[in-house]
Amino acid sequence: MSENSSTNEAKLDESNDSRASTPVKKINRFGLGSLALLQLALAIICVVLLNFLSCTNHKRFDLTRHTDFTLAETTTQYLASPEVRQRQLAIKMVAILKQQSPYYLRLRGQLENYQRFSNKNIELEFIDPTHDSDRLQDFVTTYQRNISEETILIDARNTIADAEISPEEEKIDLVKHIRTIPVKSLFIEEFDRFNKKFISTWNDESYLTTYLVSAVEGNPRRFYFIVDKARIDEPNKGTPAWKNFQALLLAQNIQLSPLQISSTQKIPGDAEGIAIIGPAFDFDEREIATLTEYWDRPSSSFFITLNPSAKLKYFKKFLREYGISPQENRVMKVNSSGQSLTSARAFFTQGPEVNKGLAYQSTQLDGPSSGLEVMSNNDRLAIRNITPFALLQAAEGWWGESKYTELNPSFDPREDQGVIKGAVNPTPVNLAAAVVRGRQNSDLTAPLTSRMVVIANTEFLRPENAREEMSYFINSTINWLVGRESLIGIGPKPVYRKKITVQSAHKSFIDQVTLIFMPLASLLIGLVLWNSRRS
């Protein structure tokens, strides 16, 4: 053992001597420094390039749950349409807003969205009335408007005010193509528990898009409402259906004007469409001839809702001529307790342009509905270039009952329509359908086609029965009838804000957690990690 230990000690001494004799390698500080400078220069170059790319390729991400800061499909489509992008002059939006206003940032961001999606065909200007009094005075002089509150102005004139137009024509242009929107109309305020106001609902996009379309088009389009075939006033039923339809038309820059078909020989030439809302009385042969003459014109359109209980012999014959046959039945369903339900559940069909964004989504039509037979495979209609198609169909379990006046109705496959379990040849019940007369597949002839929409229910139009998806459907239907394809789809939605009231004791606890406990926890975690690495 002593020999082995002495041998090991000798080897250890030799290795120590060899290490001591080996020269220590010097650290190349210049190389390390130049490498660090190179890395720093590359990092700066990367930051500059990233900033350059972010400036030239701007992309926003809306991470809110309901995409509160993203424009609706119809708005972006309209901003990308030729009506906005193929103009001689850019559209001007002037916002007279105080920078200290609580809604300034929201409206500025929203208006910048409009500018971005229009591909810079919208010019923005913000005027603070408290600081830019001179610019405000120039604005008042230019647009001949007295501004007493915060306002957004849309200038959609498409001609330069010079020698080409007279002063009178310029004044007409100021009326036709300029719209002013009071900022207070863009939101709804409520009171919290401390009786302080706060903004609970934003409707800014809906108003801005409506006024933008109105400013671009100038004079509103016109729909004529056949008043002498409908019950105009129904005191026991609340707001009439046609009143709500009129409001929906106004939001699309379309005016609803009354027309008495009984004393009219010819539909006026400025008619964009004819509205027949819940007719209670039948048309005679002369009135049907007046409707037929209008329908035979290029670019004519009908919006029709039916009252299932009305006896409309001649009018139903008129509809059958174009592939839609209203049935003498009621759409219903019997639940597990044996109760008959009449507020039909339905879904939107896939394929038609009218149903863009709504395909297979469900809805409900309150009130009585009847079924519609759609003759989509009729050779006689095809020869005349008439194409009917379904828009809304009853859900599974609902059927069109022909013996609806009897007690305890039940589905009879020999007489009734419906998709019912056990039915040999189930036939879907159509609740809404459309007709196109003409060739819609060609860009040259599509604007000349005549269009018709028939809905076998009227009660769904009443304000108390309003549903969000049906409002989108009606808006898309209106724009499809007048040839505004860019406004078909899901429209703007209100943005709701809920104010949370925190009690003083809870607020104190939250402040302690965020200002004291969380920083201390981060410090402790850092100390633990530093100590573990040090050891």
Side-chain angles (χ1 to χ4, degrees):
M1 292 293 293
S2 60
E3 293 178 358
N4 291 335
S5 61
S6 60
T7 304
N8 291 334
E9 289 176 359
K11 290 181 178 179
L12 184 60
D13 293 338
E14 290 177 0
S15 63
N16 290 334
D17 293 339
S18 62
R19 289 178 183 174
S21 60
T22 303
V24 178
K25 188 177 181 180
K26 292 183 179 180
I27 299 174
N28 188 358
R29 298 186 182 277
F30 177 78
L32 291 176
S34 59
L35 183 61
L37 289 175
L38 179 61
Q39 291 174 346
L40 180 61
L42 291 175
I44 293 174
I45 291 173
C46 289
V47 171
V48 172
L49 290 176
L50 285 174
N51 277 278
F52 176 75
L53 290 174
S54 65
C55 291
T56 56
N57 299 277
H58 184 69
K59 179 69 175 177
R60 294 183 64 191
F61 296 93
D62 189 350
L63 302 180
T64 56
R65 181 179 180 184
H66 300 291
T67 61
D68 295 341
F69 300 95
T70 301
L71 295 181
E73 177 186 11
T74 54
T75 301
T76 56
Q77 288 175 171
Y78 186 73
L79 293 174
S81 66
E83 288 82 359
V84 175
R85 295 203 175 184
Q86 295 181 7
R87 292 171 51 88
Q88 297 178 5
L89 299 178
I91 299 170
K92 293 180 182 178
M93 283 188 173
V94 183
I96 302 173
L97 291 170
K98 297 177 182 178
Q99 291 189 8
Q100 64 268 27
S101 297
Y103 38 76
Y104 176 80
L105 292 177
R106 162 78 188 187
L107 292 178
R108 186 181 185 98
Q110 195 74 300
L111 292 175
E112 288 175 350
N113 279 339
Y114 276 76
Q115 183 184 45
R116 186 170 66 256
F117 281 100
S118 69
N119 195 24
K120 304 296 184 179
N121 283 289
I122 291 179
E123 296 178 355
L124 293 181
E125 183 181 1
F126 294 89
I127 300 176
D128 190 334
T130 57
H131 300 102
D132 303 330
S133 57
D134 293 340
R135 179 68 190 98
L136 181 61
Q137 186 60 42
D138 292 341
F139 171 86
V140 171
T141 304
T142 302
Y143 291 101
Q144 304 176 15
R145 280 168 169 77
N146 294 322
I147 304 299
S148 59
E149 59 180 339
E150 292 177 298
T151 304
I152 296 175
L153 179 138
I154 301 175
D155 182 356
R157 291 177 295 174
N158 206 22
T159 55
I160 301 174
D162 55 13
E164 295 180 2
I165 61 175
S166 64
E168 290 75 15
E169 291 174 329
E170 184 181 352
K171 288 181 180 179
I172 294 173
D173 249 11
L174 283 171
V175 175
K176 286 175 57 178
H177 296 289
I178 293 181
R179 300 291 183 270
T180 54
I181 316 169
V183 170
K184 289 184 178 180
S185 66
L186 302 179
F187 55 81
I188 300 173
E189 289 184 314
E190 294 181 6
F191 289 94
D192 60 12
R193 57 180 295 187
F194 301 110
N195 206 29
K196 292 183 178 180
K197 283 186 177 182
F198 72 98
I199 297 175
S200 61
T201 308
W202 278 101
N203 292 311
D204 49 349
E205 184 185 352
S206 177
Y207 276 87
L208 288 171
T209 302
T210 297
Y211 278 85
L212 177 62
V213 174
S214 175
V216 170
E217 293 187 346
N219 295 328
R221 305 192 186 195
R222 191 181 299 275
F223 253 69
Y224 284 96
F225 172 39
I226 308 297
V227 294
D228 51 347
K229 297 300 178 183
R231 289 191 173 94
I232 301 300
D233 296 320
E234 297 177 282
N236 299 328
K237 292 189 176 182
T239 305
W242 69 269
K243 276 280 189 183
N244 191 39
F245 181 69
Q246 183 183 40
L248 292 172
L249 284 179
L250 285 175
Q252 304 299 323
N253 194 38
I254 299 174
Q255 182 178 349
L256 188 65
S257 300
L259 178 70
Q260 290 187 337
I261 191 71
S262 58
S263 58
T264 300
Q265 301 297 323
K266 187 177 182 180
I267 303 297
D270 63 344
E272 286 282 347
I274 298 296
I276 303 175
I277 309 298
F281 312 102
D282 199 6
F283 294 74
D284 60 28
E285 293 183 357
R286 188 199 62 79
E287 294 165 348
I288 292 294
T290 302
L291 296 180
T292 304
E293 185 275 331
Y294 170 73
W295 172 250
D296 290 337
R297 300 179 196 173
S299 306
S300 60
S301 63
F302 280 97
F303 180 87
I304 301 167
T305 67
L306 297 176
N307 180 0
S309 60
K311 303 300 181 182
L312 307 172
K313 176 183 175 182
Y314 290 106
F315 187 61
K316 289 181 179 180
K317 182 180 178 181
F318 168 78
L319 295 178
R320 280 195 294 270
E321 281 293 317
Y322 305 107
I324 298 179
S325 178
Q327 303 296 293
E328 292 294 335
N329 58 22
R330 294 291 184 275
V331 179
M332 61 176 56
K333 179 182 180 180
V334 178
N335 60 14
S336 57
S337 61
Q339 182 183 5
S340 297
L341 307 178
T342 55
S343 295
R345 298 290 300 175
F347 65 91
F348 298 97
T349 60
Q350 185 184 27
E353 187 181 16
V354 189
N355 288 348
K356 183 179 179 181
L358 292 171
Y360 294 125
Q361 291 193 27
S362 63
T363 186
Q364 179 174 313
L365 298 182
D366 294 303
S369 304
S370 60
L372 298 174
E373 182 184 356
V374 180
M375 296 173 253
S376 54
N377 297 318
N378 190 295
D379 294 336
R380 182 177 60 86
L381 296 175
I383 293 173
R384 297 161 58 195
N385 288 324
I386 295 175
T387 308
F389 50 89
L391 297 176
L392 195 63
Q393 292 182 342
E396 184 177 353
W398 295 81
W399 77 89
E401 176 58 52
S402 56
K403 299 178 181 179
Y404 55 90
T405 56
E406 298 181 0
L407 295 175
N408 302 320
S410 60
F411 177 72
D412 186 348
R414 297 169 299 178
E415 299 179 356
D416 303 329
Q417 294 178 328
V419 180
I420 306 296
K421 274 188 179 180
V424 179
N425 295 312
T427 305
V429 180
N430 301 307
L431 296 172
V435 178
V436 174
R437 184 184 61 81
R439 298 182 181 274
Q440 59 178 342
N441 298 326
S442 172
D443 294 337
L444 296 175
T445 58
L448 302 176
T449 57
S450 296
R451 302 175 179 186
M452 179 190 301
V453 170
V454 181
I455 304 173
N457 182 298
T458 299
E459 295 298 310
F460 79 96
L461 274 176
R462 295 184 181 275
E464 59 270 21
N465 298 330
R467 296 180 180 273
E468 186 179 43
E469 65 279 0
M470 287 303 296
S471 296
Y472 294 144
F473 173 66
I474 296 302
N475 289 336
S476 294
T477 297
I478 293 168
N479 288 302
W480 179 72
L481 289 174
V482 300
R484 286 199 203 123
E485 280 74 11
S486 60
L487 287 173
I488 296 175
I490 303 299
K493 298 180 180 180
V495 177
Y496 299 100
R497 292 283 186 265
K498 297 297 182 182
K499 188 172 182 180
I500 300 176
T501 304
V502 181
Q503 297 180 1
S504 57
H506 295 165
K507 184 178 182 300
S508 176
F509 175 72
I510 293 172
D511 291 341
Q512 291 175 8
V513 170
T514 55
L515 299 177
I516 300 175
F517 297 125
M518 290 181 68
L520 283 177
S522 301
L523 180 61
L524 288 174
I525 293 171
L527 289 172
V528 170
L529 292 175
W530 174 78
N531 187 55
S532 62
R533 291 179 178 178
R534 182 171 175 271
S535 60

